[in-house]
Amino acid sequence: MMKKKINIIKVVIATLIFYFSVESFINTVYLIKTYQRYLNSIEKLKELKEEKSDLQKRIAYVQSDEFIEKYARENLGLAKQNETVVYFKTDDFISPNEKQQTISENFLQKLLKLFKK
């Protein structure tokens, strides 16, 4: 009878040790995953702060007089007083025979042709 009690106690103790070992392992894995998510969140937060900073700079630039003037010149065809706006047809600059030349070479050649006539 005494031997059965000792064996039962050993089994109970072994079972408890096993249970707590497994429970500790599961908690450790959970803790590691949580810490990795935390580190990922910190990295994402840094990226978002940088993106926010870049966007704020872009907003400030878009609201500047420099940008407004550039946009008006390039997209609306406006000019300052006493300035002359010159328009070019883009079809005149690129022909099928000249595709291998660079765009800047084509532009300069066509520009010179305009003033030679």
Side-chain angles (χ1 to χ4, degrees), residues 43-116:
E43 188 64 33
K44 182 71 174 175
L45 180 63
K46 286 179 185 177
E47 291 172 8
L48 290 173
K49 283 182 179 180
E50 289 175 10
E51 183 179 347
K52 178 184 175 186
S53 174
D54 291 343
L55 289 173
Q56 287 174 333
K57 288 176 186 175
R58 288 177 68 189
I59 288 171
Y61 174 68
V62 168
Q63 292 173 342
S64 71
D65 291 340
E66 176 187 352
F67 175 80
I68 293 170
E69 181 180 332
K70 180 180 176 182
Y71 184 86
R73 287 174 180 270
E74 292 177 358
N75 297 326
L76 302 176
L78 300 177
K80 288 184 178 180
Q81 196 171 14
N82 298 327
E83 282 186 339
T84 304
V85 178
V86 179
Y87 294 99
F88 298 99
K89 291 182 184 178
T90 56
D91 296 341
D92 292 343
F93 295 109
I94 301 172
S95 67
N97 300 341
E98 300 177 278
K99 284 187 178 180
Q100 294 180 357
Q101 293 180 343
T102 63
I103 293 174
S104 61
E105 290 173 353
N106 285 335
F107 177 75
L108 291 175
Q109 289 172 357
K110 296 292 181 177
L111 189 61
L112 289 174
K113 287 180 185 177
L114 276 175
F115 291 106
K116 285 183 180 178

Side-chain angles (χ1 to χ4, degrees), residues 15-28:
T15 304
L16 287 174
I17 290 172
F18 178 74
Y19 170 77
F20 286 118
S21 297
V22 170
E23 189 69 27
S24 294
F25 177 75
I26 291 171
N27 286 335
T28 303

Side-chain angles (χ1 to χ4, degrees), residues 24-45:
S24 294
F25 177 75
I26 291 171
N27 286 335
T28 303
V29 169
Y30 175 76
L31 181 64
I32 290 171
K33 286 184 179 182
T34 303
Y35 185 69
Q36 287 174 343
R37 285 196 308 262
Y38 169 74
L39 292 177
N40 290 341
S41 298
I42 288 175
E43 188 64 33
K44 182 71 174 175
L45 180 63

